[in-house]
Amino acid sequence: MKISKICCIGAGYVGGPTMAVIAQKCPEIKVTVVDINEQRITDWNSDNLNKLPVFEPGLDKVVEEARGRNLFFSINVDKAIEEAEMIFISVNTPTKTYGKGKDMAADLKYIELCARQIAKVAKTDKIVVEKSTLPVRTAQAIKSILSQTGKGVNFQILSNPEFLAEGTAIQDLLNPDRILIGGELNEKGIEAINALVNIYASWVSKDKILTTNVWSSELSKLVANAFLAQRVSSINSISELCESTGADVREVSRAVGMDSRIGSKFLNASVGFGGSCFQKDILNLVYIAKSYGLNEVADYWEQVILMNNHQKSRFASKILSTLYNTVSGKKIAMLGWAFKKDTNDTRESAAIYVADQLLEEKANIAVYDPKVESNRIYADLNYLNSRSEDENSLLVQVHNNSYEACKDAHAIAIMTEWDEFKDCDWQRIYDNMLKPAFIFDGRFLLDREELKKIGFKSFSIGI
Ligand code: NAD
Ligand code: UGA
């Protein structure tokens, strides 16, 4: 079966870049990305490529090439569903904030709404692809909704989890380690799997395209994220031990990572992992294990989250204790708000939680991030509900560059490893700060010895 029209429901961090790359690599396929968020669609259609709702290096070029040719962004969800042969569901699957499974299970209401809308609109057979990260056996629920249409329409459900990381999304999409496709292992299912394999095979070599059953595919996505996050929590736990014993966590991670069985990636100690997925997906895994009565399995993975919370909290505590146990009325500059460099995404960013803890101590926080706008920063803090919006506006200032943010500050906290922070004139920043001037590097970004020469009192995670 050859696919000529694709619809993707959800124009977010995954739907937008993923579909842009499919459209770029398969010019013969019409790709329509739809969303209920009108502003997002307007921004995706903006002539000014700097205004795309997702910042990713290289994304603007891909969109520029394909948009209007075979890539379209629209709010007309029904029309796109109706005309497509293949529909990707790429909507958000946040942690539930209510009811059974609160604070743990994935909230599947957006997925279910999509399934119901497809069931309502579809008049011809469709392949429905789960692109969102979903708990094991969600495909069964989608299938059950779709099979109730009574219109004689045939649906095949595939799981095709996305492994891109933000900040490197385009590179990851162009050169993936693997593509994973799960489907029903019968004649119709295999036909659907092959239709999707053929799309990816336009630019990915076939030996990197794995096919399996739906459940294994869904679970593999959760497990991949859990393993990655576990490495970060493992090295972060050792960073605390290094601080107490005088070892240097960078040396430890270098020595450990050179063992080819362990590998060197994802062993950078930090102020804690953030992002929309690690925490959510591990909580989901924990919930699934608990729901099968596998309490030891659940406890094992929950520890990855607990360690991460501890790391964020102890970074904030370190700032407080170093500044003589009082930060009330003191200006603390935070450089970086995004959860990692090269993205404008702030979901679950460690910066939010460190700032929140310091604000509880009545610190004045001055933030600068190259890609995050001030309304996002206030929204992130207000969402936590720790204090009133007025108080947040009073205590938090957002600046347009590092120099302004750091002027007259008592301390600086490096929260995101943006390259531009490395190139700052640190002497000039030091000269304009209150003394003693402290710097807390949560990202190993700066040369500690150089900072000390300038006069900074410098602290890095794990040293
Ligand atoms: P996102 O919040 O950026 O985007 C989701 C979009 O779906 C939003 O724009 C929302 O308006 C839209 N939406 C929700 N319900 C809709 C509906 N009924 N009809 C039309 N549009 C609807 O989320 P994201 O970061 O793109 O993540 C999407 C999924 O992909 C999640 O399951 C996530 O776990 C997974 N994932 C994310 C990443 C990542 O790096 N962000 C990587 C891999 C997998
Ligand atoms: C992660 C996975 O890497 C992707 O494969 C997956 O598709 C995605 O989650 C998802 O499902 O959403 P992402 O969260 O975008 O991607 O970014 P990562 O590079 O994994 O970083 C996550 C967090 O861990 C960041 O805050 C980063 O700073 C932190 N990190 C990462 C460390 O603190 N140390 C490291 O060594 C690596």
Side-chain angles (χ1 to χ4, degrees):
M1 187 200 309
K2 216 163 163 41
I3 301 296
S4 62
K5 291 194 190 71
I6 286 176
C7 158
C8 173
I9 309 179
Y13 282 86
V14 169
T18 310
M19 292 303 129
V21 167
I22 290 183
Q24 185 197 36
K25 294 294 175 186
C26 306
E28 71 289 358
I29 300 179
K30 179 182 176 190
V31 180
T32 308
V33 191
V34 292
D35 205 293
I36 41 176
N37 181 335
E38 278 197 55
Q39 186 59 50
R40 260 202 169 166
I41 293 299
T42 305
D43 291 345
W44 277 113
N45 283 322
S46 171
D47 288 335
N48 180 354
L49 290 167
N50 289 323
K51 283 198 73 180
L52 297 182
V54 170
F55 170 74
E56 276 293 337
L59 174 64
D60 49 353
K61 297 268 178 311
V62 181
V63 170
E64 190 175 31
E65 182 183 332
R67 198 178 56 186
R69 178 188 72 187
N70 64 326
L71 174 66
F72 303 91
F73 294 93
S74 163
I75 51 165
N76 197 337
V77 182
D78 285 357
K79 179 168 177 268
I81 290 176
E82 203 180 326
E83 67 177 25
E85 297 122 8
M86 182 176 271
I87 301 166
F88 287 80
I89 302 183
S90 190
V91 299
N92 36 331
T93 48
T95 305
K96 251 183 120 177
T97 52
Y98 54 89
K100 192 162 179 263
K102 181 175 183 283
D103 295 331
M104 240 179 211
D107 192 341
L108 297 180
K109 71 175 171 217
Y110 305 106
I111 296 285
E112 183 167 337
L113 278 173
C114 290
R116 288 187 186 281
Q117 195 151 6
I118 296 170
K120 192 179 79 187
V121 173
K123 296 196 188 83
T124 51
D125 292 355
K126 313 277 178 205
I127 299 172
V128 176
V129 185
E130 301 173 350
K131 190 51 131 171
S132 298
T133 302
L134 295 171
V136 219
R137 296 195 172 263
T138 304
Q140 212 166 40
I142 298 180
K143 191 165 180 131
S144 143
I145 293 168
L146 292 177
S147 62
Q148 305 299 317
T149 64
K151 288 188 269 182
V153 177
N154 199 326
F155 294 99
Q156 280 301 319
I157 322 288
L158 300 179
S159 159
N160 172 221
E162 184 49 59
F163 294 100
L164 68 81
E166 289 180 30
T168 52
I170 298 301
Q171 276 318 309
D172 294 343
L173 287 165
L174 292 174
N175 304 300
D177 284 350
R178 80 306 210 181
I179 298 289
L180 183 59
I181 301 173
E184 276 188 55
L185 300 178
N186 54 31
E187 193 190 335
K188 284 270 178 207
I190 291 169
E191 199 186 330
I193 291 176
N194 286 338
L196 187 53
V197 168
N198 286 337
I199 291 173
Y200 284 112
S202 305
W203 77 97
V204 181
S205 75
K206 281 226 169 139
D207 57 336
K208 288 191 171 176
I209 306 179
L210 309 181
T211 58
T212 178
N213 64 54
V214 179
W215 319 137
S216 304
S217 170
E218 288 175 339
L219 182 60
S220 301
K221 171 63 197 178
L222 294 183
V223 173
N225 272 358
F227 273 49
L228 288 168
Q230 181 198 39
R231 285 174 70 95
V232 179
S233 274
S234 296
I235 199 68
N236 280 346
S237 75
I238 300 303
S239 74
E240 190 171 16
L241 188 59
C242 287
E243 285 164 34
S244 297
T245 56
D248 180 332
V249 75
R250 289 168 304 179
E251 299 295 314
V252 176
S253 86
R254 192 156 65 111
V256 169
M258 277 178 76
D259 184 325
S260 61
R261 294 168 303 173
I262 296 174
S264 60
K265 291 182 182 162
F266 262 71
L267 286 182
N268 293 322
S270 72
V271 56
F273 61 73
S276 63
C277 293
F278 277 180
Q279 173 165 306
K280 148 177 100 64
D281 292 347
I282 293 176
L283 287 173
N284 196 355
L285 192 66
V286 169
Y287 182 73
I288 292 167
K290 277 195 177 149
S291 66
Y292 284 97
L294 309 176
N295 293 329
E296 289 77 8
V297 178
D299 291 349
Y300 177 77
W301 287 106
E302 192 166 19
Q303 200 56 39
V304 174
I305 302 288
L306 298 179
M307 188 65 227
N308 196 50
N309 291 342
H310 173 64
Q311 188 77 349
K312 292 181 277 190
S313 165
R314 80 180 187 87
F315 187 75
S317 300
K318 179 80 187 176
I319 296 177
L320 178 64
S321 63
T322 310
L323 296 185
Y324 318 108
N325 283 315
T326 173
V327 290
S328 168
K330 289 182 181 168
K331 178 176 174 180
I332 300 174
M334 287 190 139
L335 298 188
W337 192 261
F339 79 97
K340 61 186 284 199
K341 75 170 179 177
D342 289 341
T343 177
N344 59 345
D345 195 348
T346 66
R347 288 176 289 182
E348 292 300 330
S349 179
I352 303 169
Y353 296 94
V354 172
D356 187 56
Q357 206 168 316
L358 295 171
L359 289 167
E360 284 299 282
E361 297 288 339
K362 306 265 180 255
N364 291 318
I365 303 284
V367 186
Y368 166 63
D369 186 288
K371 288 288 172 196
V372 181
E373 288 175 7
S374 64
N375 53 2
R376 180 74 264 152
I377 294 170
Y378 289 114
D380 288 339
L381 288 168
N382 293 337
Y383 183 77
L384 293 184
N385 238 342
S386 308
R387 64 200 77 70
S388 71
E389 297 190 8
D390 286 348
E391 211 176 336
N392 281 336
S393 316
L394 211 65
L395 291 174
V396 181
Q397 305 299 319
V398 180
H399 295 274
N400 291 326
N401 62 63
S402 306
Y403 300 96
E404 272 177 35
C406 299
K407 191 168 181 316
D408 297 328
H410 290 258
I412 298 169
I414 308 282
M415 304 307 299
T416 314
E417 67 281 20
W418 285 102
D419 289 334
E420 72 165 66
F421 299 153
K422 278 193 274 197
D423 301 331
C424 283
D425 179 346
W426 284 101
Q427 181 68 55
R428 180 177 151 203
I429 288 181
Y430 176 80
D431 290 343
N432 288 313
M433 284 177 69
L434 299 182
K435 308 294 175 324
F438 293 92
I439 192 153
F440 299 87
D441 189 349
R443 294 288 181 176
F444 288 126
L445 193 73
L446 305 174
D447 184 328
R448 215 164 152 230
E449 295 312 314
E450 288 298 315
L451 292 175
K452 278 189 181 156
K453 267 192 228 153
I454 291 172
F456 280 106
K457 295 200 176 302
S458 158
F459 164 81
S460 299
I461 289 270
I463 304 182

